[in-house]
Amino acid sequence: MKFSFTPIFFRQISKFATKPSVNLEQNVAKALENVEFKPRKHPGIVKVKTIKMPEFLEESIPKVIKDYPMASVCNDAEALDRYLWSRHPPPTLEEVKNKQEKFRAMLIEKHKYNFQEMSETERHHASNVLFQQVQTRLKKEVYSWKNVQYDEYRALQYLLGRSPGEYASMLRILTEIQERDPAFSPRSYFDFGSGVGSALWATINVWPKEKIFEYFMVDASSDMNDLSELILRRGNPDIEPMVRNYFYRQFLPATATNTYDLVVCSNSLFELPSKDARLKTLKTLWSKCENYMVIVERGTKAGFNLITEARNFILKIDPENCHVHSPCPHDSVCPRRFEDDGTPCNFTVKYENLSAFHKNRIQNEIFSYVVLRKKPRDLSRSEDSWPRIVRPVLVRAKHSICRMCTKEGKLQEVIFTSAKHGKLTYQCARRSNWGDRLPINIVNPDPEGAVQASESVESVERVESDELSEK
């Protein structure tokens, strides 16, 4: 799934842009002046480019596919991938009831039903007809959620169709944790909805697997668990696995006797049958978390809504001992929820697909996520409040346009130019990408941070003209 953002998008939202004062972080500015690093390597950039699949995975695939025709598995894997991208969570009973009442009222108005003037026989007949019409409308317009059953063959489809993108997104997320918190190295790992093990592969890629003394994986499918373990043995059940002290379970332990440094819930919330089940699961996972908890879903609007639900719920149940590590530089309500552009808060990572897929080898994974830290936010760490770039940077002649989420919990558009913001700040913005943080402080002229139209993309022509005239 691809998302494209054109200058028209920014023109549409430019009426909300402010004219802020932007200052480069003092320590970063000093390091840039001393040429300790260049703007394209400033500390807000996540150093992840095109991600390659692990060698052991490429080695294992021919062995785990067994006698299944590779072409058929690949085609079915693509179909499964498309289906999973289109999924929505199961509707709540309240949502179904509201839709039902809405459709009933619409049909009564359309057909001019007047039950008071009908005879008992006519009223009975009209009620039956109305009920059938409402049910037909509900089937068409209310999402019919079904649990996906992963047997041996469907687990292989998931391996080829979904695991590369999930591995790439998880590797990008964990790499940022490692770069921002180099002292952290997990000693225990808990994975809910572990699937074929893509999150585990990313974890042992980022941190030394020898220092992780326990791996606990939970997935309802025994075939998924078997395939995951077989991949850890490189497709050969007779050789030693790549990690030690690993455990597979089909059910989430109800008690929280053991806690884990790193808790992961990757692409699993869609599989839970209700909102109550999601919140109960999240509460259990948070009770098992000792340091970091990572929640990832596909970057659709439905996936973003589930991430927002999880983020808000955990911040609510443990506000004194929890903060958002990434992507948000704040713990406020997500400002994207109040935007009218209809797009979710999501990010992208580029990866090389498995060699089994020869078409479109380089692909992009779009994902939404949140990383929660089990400790209060350290307000003395200014780097934790750097704004996050939440849309592709528009690089133009003599200027670059960044749309960011700020520490105040607001969306802020800034048009960077060398003349106005300084060469170093301008170069940092120009070299940054969607998903990076900018090492800057944004000060709005309005102390309340009001979003009044004061500078639009159309004004760029005047900025560029002024710069050329100065030359």
Side-chain angles (χ1 to χ4, degrees), residues 190-204:
F190 189 97
D191 190 345
F192 174 75
S194 53
V196 295
S198 51
L200 173 61
W201 311 334
T203 300
I204 62 177

Side-chain angles (χ1 to χ4, degrees), residues 1 28 43 73 153 211 224 292 339 346 350 352 381 385 432 444 457:
M1 180 170 290
V28 176
V73 179
Y153 184 66
K211 294 185 178 181
M224 280 281 207
Y292 287 97
E339 288 295 296
N346 52 23
K350 187 179 294 186
E352 288 187 13
R381 286 175 52 87
S385 62
S432 298
N444 291 318
V457 176

Side-chain angles (χ1 to χ4, degrees), residues 197-240:
S198 51
L200 173 61
W201 311 334
T203 300
I204 62 177
N205 187 312
V206 174
W207 290 287
K209 59 186 177 183
E210 297 80 11
K211 294 185 178 181
I212 303 178
F213 299 103
E214 183 181 0
Y215 301 85
F216 199 105
M217 280 79 73
V218 177
D219 197 284
S221 168
S222 60
D223 290 299
M224 280 281 207
N225 292 333
D226 292 342
L227 179 58
S228 175
E229 183 175 9
L230 187 59
I231 292 171
L232 289 180
R233 297 177 182 270
R234 294 179 173 86
N236 186 345
D238 296 326
I239 68 174
E240 290 294 320

Side-chain angles (χ1 to χ4, degrees), residues 247 284 325 385:
F247 306 94
T284 301
H325 176 270
S385 62

Side-chain angles (χ1 to χ4, degrees), residues 330-357:
H330 60 85
D331 298 329
S332 306
V333 176
C334 177
R336 180 65 62 189
R337 302 288 291 177
F338 302 103
E339 288 295 296
D340 58 0
D341 56 31
T343 59
C345 182
N346 52 23
F347 302 91
T348 181
V349 63
K350 187 179 294 186
Y351 66 95
E352 288 187 13
N353 209 339
L354 297 166
S355 58
F357 292 89

Side-chain angles (χ1 to χ4, degrees), residues 402-422:
C402 294
R403 189 94 193 277
M404 298 168 286
C405 182
T406 69
K407 62 182 180 181
E408 292 81 15
K410 299 181 181 296
L411 294 178
Q412 179 80 62
E413 179 189 283
V414 177
I415 303 174
F416 289 91
T417 66
S418 181
K420 181 177 179 181
H421 300 99

